[in-house]
């Protein structure tokens, strides 16, 4: 494929048979991605999908790009090495809530704080699918599963709050029922320099069907999804009748009529202080309440690989490119004749 | 400079001396030993060192737990170990005396900082009575000096506060020992000025202390005579004194230069491997990328990711870290990508003895992964040999597209020896051939790229992202032979397991013939690996000089073992394997070759001494 070639969805589709359960939300995410790729103007050979283990982690096999299906939880670490070594590549990381927030939680937060140039897609279905239905670190308290017959006791992670707490420079949320929204958010994440993380509400129709239905089914969206639009007041509802205010640092949902439009919080995704983004993320502590979607934050911060490359360039400018003989003679030496 | 030769002609020449510096962790004994070593190296002696320090950065002052020691063996001939019993012991406090005196040769020389032998320190060390006063040291030659007081006195005129001055007392000791062993003083004075450049008070205090120590030797009527060790005869060349971790880091850089691919080091700080991270981080002008990862798993993961991208992925750790890397090593075996994993072995299990040496990770290197997951293992023999071992590990990793484990240990990591420097242009190139084109035909007769098509070495193509038309997907799931597609087919799995096994065994085809040293007509052969090289060399030298016949083989490629090793071992009646573990190589040799390998084991956090091995070899061969 040459630089100028125009690609289609087919060019980005591998020859492998897709093996997710029929009806899985992953299909629509895959389609959104394969349709988006030709629009990004990137090349297939410069694109790498890295994944861990889980249903979501099969994603790379279906993209006609370079792909590395690694081991459980480790994809952010492996992708960190790849992205640091090869800044010319587009490195995507795909994983589920167990992969990214349980076994790989440590790698995720460190990739985010370092601001490695990665686009991380976290498919959150609030359940373990590939191991057949145990509760996950994002499952709601009281979740009855095979491993928690009397209900789970653990407080779940809110992935957006975790990412913000980990100093992520780009944090967004989308869902598998809205291809256009997914594509827009994925595009933004891709174009961000540094670590971008997108939480995708994804339905597991076998083990946790309808987990997000109250938010994402067509007739509910206007009532339940709060679109975050940069420089716009945060409001939602079929007629924009509800909105979000900041009340002593806490985000609250209000009636626009009662408080007036001027009182609404105006979203600033570029705010370097992430505390407002964090407050917004706390609005959605359960999946039955109105939930902000879109870009929580998009902050410009030193990209890690670029920082490393700058240090290498500075070292070479200072000392010249490495000279092996000079290195070998860099400690005190003596001659024997 | 003080010309001591003219002032004091009564210098006795000896072939070699072993000096052990011992004091509290805060007394600067490592630095003192290191400076004495450097001066001796520049003077032209052969030498070997053994630093020993507690895991605590500052153990309670004055206690036995806080004793830090540095042993150096200097010689006018080729030596391979830091020596057995020291001839001279420098004790900066009673705890050092209590802990270290048993090592000293009988009748040896003790140099004592008497100022530290007060009631409080004596009690902390467990002395009821001051050993300087109760006659218990009568069999030794004792040199006493109030080092702390004398250092404070010379610093007073310089305007240095007494508290700061006290810190310079190790330079007093260094000056005294330099006098005693007729070391040139210039290198140490020069070093002080360079090391503390910009801190004039510190330079002045250290210089004054050093000179005071030297002058003390000249003016005090010491019972011990001065000794001198002539320069050793070395092969012509340029030499430097180097420790194992530095040599290893340089070996990696050299290999990266010769392969034309940059190093990516992922590492998590761990004793005694951290110095590799520190050293490589200094050399960014070679294009080296270092990542201090969030944990051991991320460290190897990032290195593997970099290898996938066409860089030389390296991770450095010690035993506990290698345990954590096991899963990713399995992935690397499955992905068949180059990767170098360095294990600077230390005492185990668990946290074990972080600052002490051991070589008990051989079985973990061999088998510490689930499934059939073979990979090559390389080991280093001596501090400077770490350079060769690192180069060899990279050569194998790149040519055979495989993770390689490189075993060093705490003794090699921190020990030093003179090293004749190689010349960069004489080092062999390491060819790297990234895939660039299709390598198979699909069912429709179209040219395609399959990631698991193999060359004569059974290595698969290294096709890095960014290469046009070679897009492919690989992972840890079993792959179909050739295409690399996911395959759960039972026969295919059997075939892939066999190929992975065979392709690593083929690495042995690239080794030079195994060298058998010593007497080829001996009944016994000593088979060693790793840092036991020095002590074995010294021990069999003693045997052969006494007329006892013995042969030796020292293995540097521990997996796959050399193709000719079985025949070699079967030529000998007795096979003896000294190891710093409970017989791990011995077990492997027994399993591979059905030879009755006999173990000599030492797992005490200390290297073998030549004397120990000499005695055991004699007993086992008579």
């Amino acid at each position: 494929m040459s630089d100028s070639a125009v690609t289609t969805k087919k060019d980005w589709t591998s020859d492998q048979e897709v093996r997710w359960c029929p009806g899985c939300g992953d299909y629509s995410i895959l389609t959104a991605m394969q349709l988006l790729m030709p629009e990004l103007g990137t090349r297939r050979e410069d694109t790498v999908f890295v994944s861990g283990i889980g249903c979501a982690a099969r994603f790379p096999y279906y993209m006609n790009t370079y792909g590395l299906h690694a081991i459980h939880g480790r994809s952010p670490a492996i992708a960190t090495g790849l992205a640091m070594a090869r800044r010319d590549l587009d490195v995507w990381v795909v994983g589920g809530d167990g992969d990214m927030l349980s076994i790989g939680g440590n790698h995720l937060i460190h990739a985010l704080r370092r601001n490695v140039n990665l686009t991380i897609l976290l498919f959150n279905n609030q359940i373990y699918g590939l191991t057949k239905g145990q509760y996950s670190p994002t499952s709601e308290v009281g979740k009855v599963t095979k491993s928690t017959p009397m209900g789970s006791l653990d407080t779940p992670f809110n992935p957006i709050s975790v990412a913000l707490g980990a100093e992520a420079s780009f944090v967004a949320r989308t869902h598998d029922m809205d291809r256009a929204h997914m594509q827009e958010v994925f595009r933004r994440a891709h174009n961000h320099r540094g670590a971008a993380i997108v939480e995708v509400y994804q339905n597991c129709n076998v083990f946790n069907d309808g987990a997000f239905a109250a938010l994402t089914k067509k007739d509910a969206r206007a009532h339940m999804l709060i679109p975050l639009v940069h420089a716009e007041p945060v409001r939602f509802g079929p007629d924009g009748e509800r909105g979000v205010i900041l009340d002593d640092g806490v985000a609250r949902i209000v009636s626009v009529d009662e408080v007036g439009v001027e009182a609404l919080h105006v979203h600033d995704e570029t705010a370097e202080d992430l505390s407002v983004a964090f407050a917004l993320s706390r609005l959605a502590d359960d999946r039955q309440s109105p939930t902000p979607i879109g870009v929580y934050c998009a902050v410009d911060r030193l990209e890690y690989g670029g920082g490393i490359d700058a240090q290498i360039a500075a070292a070479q400018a200072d000392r010249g490119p490495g000279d092996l003989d000079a290195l070998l003679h860099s400690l005190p030496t003596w001659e024997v004749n | 400079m003080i010309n001591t030769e003219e002032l004091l002609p009564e210098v006795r020449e000896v072939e070699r001396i072993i000096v052990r510096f011992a004091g509290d962790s805060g007394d600067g004994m490592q630095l003192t030993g290191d400076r004495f070593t450097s001066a001796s190296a520049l003077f032209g002696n052969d030498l070997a060192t053994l630093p020993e320090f507690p895991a605590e950065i500052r153990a309670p002052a004055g206690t036995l737990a806080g004793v830090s020691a540095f042993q150096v063996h200097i010689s006018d001939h080729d030596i391979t170990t830091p020596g057995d019993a020291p001839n001279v012991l420098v004790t900066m406090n009673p705890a050092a005396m209590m802990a270290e005196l048993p090592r000293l040769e009988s009748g040896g020389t003790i140099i004592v900082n008497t100022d530290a032998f007060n009631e409080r320190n004596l009690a902390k060390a467990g002395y009821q009575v001051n050993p300087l006063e109760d006659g218990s040291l009568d069999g030794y030659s004792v040199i006493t000096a109030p080092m702390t007081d004398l250092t404070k006195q010379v610093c007073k005129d310089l305007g240095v506060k007494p508290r700061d001055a006290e810190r310079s007392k190790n330079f007093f000791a260094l000056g005294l020992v330099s006098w005693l062993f007729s070391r040139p003083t210039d290198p140490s004075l020069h070093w002080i000025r360079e090391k503390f450049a910009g801190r004039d008070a510190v330079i002045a205090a250290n210089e004054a202390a050093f000179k005071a120590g030297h002058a003390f030797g000249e003016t005090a009527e010491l019972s011990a005579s001065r000794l001198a060790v002539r320069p050793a005869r070395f092969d012509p060349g340029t030499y430097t004194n180097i420790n194992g971790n530095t040599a290893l880091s340089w070996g990696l850089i050299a290999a990266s230069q010769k392969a034309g691919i940059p190093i990516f080091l992922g590492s998590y700080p761990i004793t005694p491997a951290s110095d590799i991270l520190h050293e490589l981080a200094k050399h960014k002008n070679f294009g080296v990328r270092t990542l201090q990862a969030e944990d051991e798993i991320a460290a190897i993961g990032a290195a593997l990711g970099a290898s996938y991208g066409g860089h030389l992925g390296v991770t450095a750790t010690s035993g506990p870290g290698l345990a954590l890397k096991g899963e990713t090593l399995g992935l690397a075996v499955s992905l068949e990508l180059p990767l170098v994993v360095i294990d600077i072995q230390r005492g185990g299990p668990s946290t074990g003895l972080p600052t002490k040496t051991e070589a008990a990770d051989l079985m973990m290197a061999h088998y510490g992964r689930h499934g059939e997951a073979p990979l090559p293992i390389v080991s280093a023999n001596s501090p400077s040999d770490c350079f060769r071992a690192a180069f060899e590990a990279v050569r194998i990793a790149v040519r055979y597209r495989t993770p390689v484990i490189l075993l060093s240990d705490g003794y090699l990591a921190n020990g030093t020896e003179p090293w004749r420097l190689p010349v960069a242009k004489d080092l062999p190139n390491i060819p790297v051939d990234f895939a660039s084109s299709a390598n198979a035909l699909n069912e429709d007769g179209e040219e395609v790229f399959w990631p698991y098509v193999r060359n004569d070495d059974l290595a698969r193509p290294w096709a890095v992202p960014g290469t046009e038309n070679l897009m492919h997907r690989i992972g840890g799931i079993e792959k179909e032979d050739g295409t690399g597609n996911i395959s759960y087919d039972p026969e295919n799995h059997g075939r892939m397991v066999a190929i992975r096994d065979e392709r690593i065994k083929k690495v042995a085809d690239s080794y030079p013939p195994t060298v058998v040293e010593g007497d080829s007509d001996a009944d016994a052969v000593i088979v060693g690996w790793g840092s036991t090289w020095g002590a074995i060399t010294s021990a069999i030298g003693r045997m052969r000089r006494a007329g006892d016949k013995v042969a030796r083989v020292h293995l540097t490629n521990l997996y796959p073992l050399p193709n000719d090793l079985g025949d070699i071992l079967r030529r000998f009646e007795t096979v003896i394997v000294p190891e710093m573990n409970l017989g791990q190589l011995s077990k492997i040799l027994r399993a591979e070759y059905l030879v009755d390998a006999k173990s000599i084991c030492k797992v005490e956090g200390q290297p073998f001494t030549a004397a120990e091995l000499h005695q055991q070899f004699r007993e086992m061969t008579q």
Side-chain angles (χ1 to χ4, degrees), chain B residues 363 367 584-595 597:
Chain B
M363 284 299 184
Y367 303 114
Q584 299 188 10
L585 177 63
S586 208
K587 231 172 244 160
I588 290 167
L589 295 180
R590 284 167 166 259
E592 287 289 324
Y593 305 115
L594 290 175
V595 296

Side-chain angles (χ1 to χ4, degrees), chain B residues 285-362:
Chain B
N285 58 326
F286 283 88
V288 174
R289 285 171 179 75
T290 55
L291 171 71
Q292 182 177 315
E294 58 270 23
D295 58 31
E296 295 281 1
I297 297 170
I300 185 174
L304 183 61
S307 284
Y308 175 70
H311 284 222
L312 176 59
V314 181
T315 185
T317 188
S318 186
L322 186 60
L324 286 165
K325 293 178 196 295
E327 189 198 20
T328 310
L329 269 172
L331 176 65
V333 167
S334 180
L335 293 180
E336 302 186 24
L337 284 169
L339 182 70
V340 175
V341 179
I342 297 153
D343 175 9
I344 311 295
Q345 299 166 93
R346 68 189 215 189
S350 189
T351 308
L353 301 171
T355 59
K356 307 291 180 191
T357 197
E358 201 160 290
D361 295 350
L362 182 60

Side-chain angles (χ1 to χ4, degrees), chain A residues 5-22:
Chain A
V6 172
T7 59
T8 64
K9 174 171 182 278
K10 188 163 169 283
D11 294 314
W12 293 85
T13 305
S14 81
D15 60 355
Q16 298 298 297
E17 184 192 348
V18 183
R19 294 194 198 174
W20 287 311
C21 306

Side-chain angles (χ1 to χ4, degrees), chain A residues 91-167:
Chain A
V91 183
W92 298 74
V93 179
V94 179
D97 37 310
D99 196 40
M100 294 273 190
L101 290 171
S102 195
I103 191 165
N106 198 33
H107 306 309
L108 178 72
I109 59 175
H110 288 277
L112 293 176
R113 78 165 169 95
R114 285 194 187 102
N115 208 30
V116 183
N117 198 20
L118 302 172
T119 311
I120 301 170
L121 307 183
L122 193 170
F123 297 4
N124 182 10
N125 58 17
Q126 301 187 338
I127 200 78
Y128 280 80
L130 204 61
T131 49
K132 300 188 173 63
Q134 300 83 6
Y135 79 117
S136 92
T138 55
S139 296
E140 68 278 14
V141 175
K143 186 83 171 171
V144 175
T145 70
K146 281 180 219 165
S147 61
T148 49
M150 297 174 72
S152 62
L153 299 168
D154 342 14
T155 298
F157 271 139
N158 174 328
I160 301 288
S161 302
V162 170
L164 292 166
E167 309 291 344

Side-chain angles (χ1 to χ4, degrees), chain A residues 164 168-171 188 192 228-232 265-277 280 295-301:
Chain A
L164 292 166
S169 62
F170 182 101
V171 180
R188 289 283 316 277
H192 178 75
L228 296 175
V229 182
H230 180 60
E232 297 282 333
H265 170 65
V266 175
H267 185 50
D268 178 7
E269 62 187 30
T270 65
E272 284 184 19
D273 180 346
L274 300 177
S275 50
V276 174
L280 290 171
V295 178
Y296 281 72
C297 74
V299 179
D300 195 24
R301 187 150 71 73

Side-chain angles (χ1 to χ4, degrees), chain A residues 1-2 14-16 19 43-46 48 58 60-72 74 77-82 84-86 88-89 106-108 110-111 113-114 304 308-309 311-312 315-316 319-325 327-337, chain B residues 41-42 44 234-241 250 253-254 257 264 282-295 297-298 301-302 305-306 308-309 311 327-328 331 335 387 418-419 421-424 427 463-477 485-486 488:
Chain A
M1 196 177 84
S2 67
S14 81
D15 60 355
Q16 298 298 297
R19 294 194 198 174
R43 302 194 301 175
R44 296 176 301 175
E45 61 265 29
D46 293 338
V48 187
R58 297 298 178 97
Y61 287 112
Y62 309 133
M63 296 296 297
N64 190 20
T65 62
Y66 282 88
L68 184 52
H69 178 217
I71 40 179
H72 208 16
R74 315 302 170 204
I78 292 168
T80 291
L82 178 61
M84 279 175 68
R86 294 290 305 277
D88 55 320
L89 301 174
N106 198 33
H107 306 309
L108 178 72
H110 288 277
R113 78 165 169 95
R114 285 194 187 102
Y304 196 70
I308 297 278
D309 280 5
Q311 288 190 345
I312 289 174
Q316 289 177 338
R319 286 177 271 163
D323 174 343
L324 190 50
D325 283 312
L327 172 68
L328 293 170
H329 290 76
S330 59
L331 292 174
T333 62
W334 68 97
E335 298 292 329
V336 175
N337 298 313
Chain B
L42 294 174
F234 287 103
D235 291 337
T238 305
Y239 285 79
T240 200
N241 187 45
W250 291 4
I253 292 174
Q257 293 279 299
F264 181 100
K282 285 198 291 201
H283 301 298
K284 290 202 162 67
N285 58 326
F286 283 88
V288 174
R289 285 171 179 75
T290 55
L291 171 71
Q292 182 177 315
E294 58 270 23
D295 58 31
I297 297 170
Y308 175 70
H311 284 222
E327 189 198 20
T328 310
L331 176 65
L335 293 180
F387 182 90
W419 177 40
L421 295 173
V423 177
L427 295 168
V464 303
T467 316
E468 241 181 285
N469 298 322
L470 303 194
M471 290 86 70
H472 63 278
R473 276 64 57 191
I474 53 174
I477 300 184
N485 291 332
I486 289 178
Y488 297 109

